[in-house]
C-alpha cells in the first residue's frame, strides 16, 4: 500500500496533519503545520500545554551504560579502603581522647546541666558513680551506706534480711530460686546511687539474689583472709572456745555481719518443713558466696547458740524525716531517735565534706538539724517536769515527816506530864501516909 497516494489521505483524514487543522494565532488565523505523520499529533496534544514545550522525541536521551574497566574498579576500591581507614583512625582518636579525659571533667559536664530557670541542676546519683556500695570492703560499704542504730551492718544487707525474715520463712526454695537479672541490676544501681529503695515492690527471689550478689562481690571474705584458715581448723576440731576467740578478733562490721547472717540462715533451716532447705542444701547454695567450706558453715549453724549467745534480729527502723507527722513522746523513744538523727547528721556532714554537695543534701541537712533541735527541746521539758515532780515529792515527804515528828514530840510530852502527875500524886499520898503514921505514933506515946 502506497501511503503517499492521495487515496490514503481520503480514507484516513487524521493520519497526516493537514494545513486545515491547527491552533489560532493572536490575530485569529490558524497556524499551518507542515509536519506530517505522528509527529503532528504529538505537537497538538492539548491547548493547555505551553507552546514552547518540547515533544518527547526532542528530549535528550541518557548515555548508554558502559561496563567499567578493571583499572577503574581497582581505583574505586582503593579510594573506598582509604576512606574507611581514615574513618577508623578518627574514631580511634576520639576514643583515646575520651579515655584520656579525667573523671573530674566528666563530672563537670554532668554538673553543667541547666534547667529552665538557667540554674545548674546536679544529679546526686551521678556524683556517687565513683563511690559504689557493691564491690568494696565491708567497712567502706558501711561508711557509705550505714544503719543509724547500734548495728554495724550495711543497709543493703539489713534491708534484705528484714525482707526475707518477713516474707521468706515459709517459702519453698528460698535463696535457691534466682531472680530476674534486670531487676536485680536495677536494685544494685539504686543502692549505688543512694536512692530510696522499697523492696516491697520486688519479688522474694530478686531480693535474695541481690543479697547473694552483694556477698559475691565482696573483695575480702567476711572471716577475713588472715583468719579464714584458723576458722577452718577450729571447725575441724569442733573447738567452740577457739572459734569464740577468733570471732572476737574480727572487725566490728565483719562480726555483726557474720552474726546476723548465721542467725538469719538458722531461722530458715529451722523451718525446713516449709522451705525444703536443710544445712547441706543451704550450704551448697551459699558456701561459695560466703567463701567458706561446707564443714565450717554447718559448724556455725549447729553451734549457733554457743557461738552467738543472745543474738536477736531486730527490724531496722530508719530515722524520722521532716515530713513525718509526729515525733516520739516517751523519754526512752526520744533518746533513741535522737541518737539516730545525730548519726544521720554525721553521715551527711561526711558526704558533704567529701564533695557530694547538692541542693537535696543541703535540704536534708537542714531537716535533720530541725528534728534534732525539736527532740532536744522536748527532752529538756521532760527533764524539767520530772525535776519538778521529784521536788514536790521531796517536799511532801518532808512535810509528812515533820507532822509525824510534831505528833511524836507532843505524845512524848504528854506522856512525861502524865508520868510526872502520877508520880506527884504518889509522892503526896506517901507524905500523907508518913504524916499519919507519925501522928499516930505520937498519940500512942503520949498516952
Amino acid at each position: 500500500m502506497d501511503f503517499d497516494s492521495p487515496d490514503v489521505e481520503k480514507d484516513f483524514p487524521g493520519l497526516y496533519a493537514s494545513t486545515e487543522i491547527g491552533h489560532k494565532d493572536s490575530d485569529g488565523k490558524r497556524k499551518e503545520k507542515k509536519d506530517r505523520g505522528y509527529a503532528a499529533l504529538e505537537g497538538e496534544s492539548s491547548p493547555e500545554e505551553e507552546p514552547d514545550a518540547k515533544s518527547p522525541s526532542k528530549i535528550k536521551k541518557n548515555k548508554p551504560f558502559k561496563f567499567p574497566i578493571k583499572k577503574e574498579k581497582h581505583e574505586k576500591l582503593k579510594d573506598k579502603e582509604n576512606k574507611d581507614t581514615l574513618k577508623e583512625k578518627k574514631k580511634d582518636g576520639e576514643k583515646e581522647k575520651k579515655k584520656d579525659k579525667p573523671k573530674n571533667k566528666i563530672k563537670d559536664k554532668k554538673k553543667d546541666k541547666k534547667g529552665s530557670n538557667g540554674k545548674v541542676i546536679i544529679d546526686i546519683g551521678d556524683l556517687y558513680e565513683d563511690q559504689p556500695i557493691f564491690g568494696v570492703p565491708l567497712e567502706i560499704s558501711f561508711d557509705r551506706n550505714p544503719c543509724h542504730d547500734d548495728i554495724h551492718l550495711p543497709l543493703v544487707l539489713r534491708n534484705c534480711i528484714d525482707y526475707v525474715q518477713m516474707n521468706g520463712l515459709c517459702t519453698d526454695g528460698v535463696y535457691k530460686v534466682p531472680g530476674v537479672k534486670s531487676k536485680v541490676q536495677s536494685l544494685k544501681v539504686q543502692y549505688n546511687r543512694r536512692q530510696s529503695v522499697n523492696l516491697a515492690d520486688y519479688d522474694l527471689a530478686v531480693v535474695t539474689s541481690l543479697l547473694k550478689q552483694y556477698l559475691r562481690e565482696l573483695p575480702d571474705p567476711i572471716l577475713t583472709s588472715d583468719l579464714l584458715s584458723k576458722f577452718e581448723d577450729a571447725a575441724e576440731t569442733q573447738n567452740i572456745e577457739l572459734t569464740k576467740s577468733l570471732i572476737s578478733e574480727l572487725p566490728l562490721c565483719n562480726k555483726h555481719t557474720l552474726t546476723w547472717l548465721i542467725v538469719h540462715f538458722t531461722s530458715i533451716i529451722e523451718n525446713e518443713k516449709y522451705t525444703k532447705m536443710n544445712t547441706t542444701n543451704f550450704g551448697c547454695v551459699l558456701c561459695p558466696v560466703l567463701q567458706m567450706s561446707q564443714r565450717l558453715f554447718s559448724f556455725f549453724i549447729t553451734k549457733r547458740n554457743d557461738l552467738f549467745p543472745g543474738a536477736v534480729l531486730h527490724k531496722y527502723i530508719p530515722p524520722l524525716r521532716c515530713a513525718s507527722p509526729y515525733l516520739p513522746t516517751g523519754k526512752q523513744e526520744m533518746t533513741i531517735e535522737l541518737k539516730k538523727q545525730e548519726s544521720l547528721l554525721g553521715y551527711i556532714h561526711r558526704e558533704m565534706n567529701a564533695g557530694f554537695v547538692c541542693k537535696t543534701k543541703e535540704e536534708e541537712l537542714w531537716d535533720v538539724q530541725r528534728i534534732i533541735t525539736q527532740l532536744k527541746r522536748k527532752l529538756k521539758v521532760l527533764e524539767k517536769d520530772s525535776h519538778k515532780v521529784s521536788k514536790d515529792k521531796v517536799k511532801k515527804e518532808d512535810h509528812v515527816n515533820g507532822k509525824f515528828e510534831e505528833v511524836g514530840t507532843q505524845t512524848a510530852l504528854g506522856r512525861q506530864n502524865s508520868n510526872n502527875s502520877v508520880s506527884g500524886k504518889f509522892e503526896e499520898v506517901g507524905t500523907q501516909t508518913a504524916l499519919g503514921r507519925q501522928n499516930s505514933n505520937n498519940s500512942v506515946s503520949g498516952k
Side-chain angles (χ1 to χ4, degrees):
M1 183 178 181
D2 190 6
F3 290 95
D4 293 333
S5 64
D7 295 329
V8 174
E9 290 182 0
K10 289 178 183 178
D11 296 330
F12 302 95
L15 184 63
Y16 300 108
S18 62
T19 57
E20 295 177 0
I21 300 169
H23 296 288
K24 290 183 180 180
D25 288 334
S26 59
D27 298 332
K29 296 179 181 179
R30 291 183 179 276
K31 288 184 181 180
E32 291 182 2
K33 298 235 175 178
K34 296 180 181 179
D35 296 335
R36 300 185 71 185
Y38 291 102
L41 295 173
E42 290 175 359
E44 296 185 8
S45 60
S46 65
E48 295 177 359
E49 292 181 357
E50 295 179 0
D52 297 333
K54 294 181 180 179
S55 63
S57 62
K58 294 180 181 180
I59 295 171
K60 291 182 180 180
K61 294 181 179 179
N62 293 326
K63 292 180 180 180
F65 178 75
K66 292 182 180 180
F67 289 98
I69 307 168
K70 289 184 178 180
K71 290 182 180 180
E72 292 177 356
K73 282 184 179 180
H74 289 301
E75 288 176 358
K76 287 180 180 180
L77 289 171
K78 284 181 181 179
D79 293 336
K80 284 183 180 179
E81 288 176 357
N82 292 330
K83 287 179 182 179
D84 293 335
T85 52
L86 288 171
K87 286 180 181 179
E88 288 177 359
K89 285 180 181 179
K90 285 181 180 179
K91 287 180 181 179
D92 294 335
E94 289 175 357
K95 286 180 181 178
E96 288 177 358
K97 285 180 182 178
K98 286 180 181 178
K99 287 180 181 178
D100 293 336
K101 284 181 182 179
K103 292 180 180 179
N104 295 328
K105 289 185 179 179
I106 295 168
K107 286 182 182 179
D108 293 336
K109 283 184 180 180
K110 289 175 181 177
K111 289 179 184 179
D112 290 340
K113 293 178 183 177
K114 292 185 178 180
S116 58
N117 301 328
K119 295 181 180 180
V120 177
I121 298 172
I122 301 172
D123 188 4
I124 191 63
D126 295 335
L127 300 178
Y128 289 116
E129 286 182 356
D130 297 332
Q131 293 197 1
I133 296 167
F134 284 70
V136 294
L138 266 174
E139 292 182 358
I140 296 172
S141 181
F142 173 73
D143 290 336
R144 293 175 181 175
N145 193 25
C147 297
H148 297 291
D149 52 4
D150 296 331
I151 306 299
H152 288 258
L153 197 70
L155 188 61
V156 190
L157 288 177
R158 188 81 176 270
N159 288 341
C160 292
I161 289 170
D162 289 342
Y163 182 87
V164 179
Q165 285 288 124
M166 290 288 293
N167 304 304
L169 295 182
C170 296
T171 306
D172 187 4
V174 187
Y175 286 102
K176 196 173 183 180
V177 180
V180 181
K181 288 184 179 180
S182 59
K183 292 182 179 181
V184 176
Q185 191 66 22
S186 68
L187 275 174
K188 178 184 173 181
V189 171
Q190 289 177 36
Y191 273 107
N192 280 333
R193 292 168 69 91
R194 315 298 197 272
Q195 295 176 355
S196 59
V197 181
N198 186 14
L199 293 180
D201 298 335
Y202 296 89
D203 297 331
L204 179 66
V206 175
V207 178
T208 54
S209 298
L210 181 70
L211 188 144
K212 287 190 289 184
Q213 185 170 355
Y214 178 84
L215 296 174
R216 192 183 297 113
E217 292 183 5
L218 286 174
D220 299 322
I222 298 171
L223 301 177
T224 70
S225 55
D226 297 332
L227 299 175
L228 182 58
S229 59
K230 296 180 181 178
F231 273 106
E232 293 287 349
D233 296 336
E236 186 178 0
T237 57
Q238 299 287 311
N239 194 337
I240 295 173
E241 296 299 327
L242 179 59
T243 309
K244 280 185 178 181
S245 64
L246 291 173
I247 290 170
S248 63
E249 292 179 15
L250 288 171
L252 187 61
C253 191
N254 295 52
K255 183 179 178 181
H256 284 195
T257 303
L258 178 66
T259 304
W260 275 66
L261 287 175
I262 295 301
V263 174
H264 170 57
F265 295 154
T266 49
S267 63
I268 292 170
I269 292 168
E270 285 172 356
N271 292 318
E272 185 184 352
K273 185 191 292 185
Y274 307 103
T275 60
K276 304 293 190 298
M277 297 292 286
N278 54 20
T279 308
T280 54
N281 294 337
F282 216 67
C284 291
V285 175
L286 287 168
C287 283
V289 175
L290 296 170
Q291 302 181 35
M292 64 175 67
S293 64
Q294 177 76 35
R295 180 177 55 199
L296 180 57
F297 179 76
S298 61
F299 176 64
F300 278 133
I301 296 297
T302 53
K303 305 296 181 182
R304 174 248 173 183
N305 294 324
D306 296 327
L307 297 174
F308 309 101
V312 182
L313 303 182
H314 300 286
K315 187 178 179 182
Y316 179 64
I317 301 171
L320 293 173
R321 299 295 182 183
C322 192
S324 58
Y326 64 91
L327 291 173
T329 54
K331 187 176 180 181
Q332 186 176 1
E333 295 173 354
M334 289 170 72
T335 51
I336 292 168
E337 185 61 35
L338 184 61
K339 285 182 181 179
K340 289 181 182 178
Q341 294 293 334
E342 287 175 347
S343 173
L344 179 59
L345 183 65
Y347 168 69
I348 295 169
H349 278 301
R350 286 197 305 272
E351 287 201 327
M352 293 181 76
N353 291 331
F356 301 107
V357 182
C358 64
K359 190 177 179 181
T360 53
K361 280 287 173 188
E362 291 175 356
E363 290 176 355
E364 189 178 4
L365 179 67
W366 286 110
D367 292 341
V368 173
Q369 287 178 342
R370 198 178 296 118
I371 292 171
I372 288 171
T373 52
Q374 290 177 358
L375 288 170
K376 285 183 177 179
R377 285 174 184 172
K378 281 193 169 186
L379 281 171
K380 282 183 180 179
V381 171
L382 283 175
E383 286 177 358
K384 284 181 180 178
D385 294 340
S386 62
H387 190 61
K388 284 181 181 178
V389 169
S390 62
K391 278 187 176 180
D392 293 339
K393 283 183 180 179
V394 169
K395 284 181 180 179
K396 284 180 181 179
E397 288 176 357
D398 293 340
H399 185 64
V400 170
N401 291 330
K403 282 185 176 180
F404 277 119
E405 286 177 358
E406 288 178 358
V407 171
T409 52
Q410 287 177 0
T411 52
L413 290 171
R415 284 174 184 172
Q416 285 180 358
N417 293 328
S418 61
N419 291 329
N420 291 331
S421 62
V422 171
S423 61
K425 286 180 180 180
F426 278 116
E427 286 176 356
E428 287 178 358
V429 171
T431 52
Q432 287 177 2
T433 52
L435 290 171
R437 284 175 184 173
Q438 285 180 0
N439 292 327
S440 61
N441 292 327
N442 291 328
S443 61
V444 170
S445 62
K447 288 181 179 180

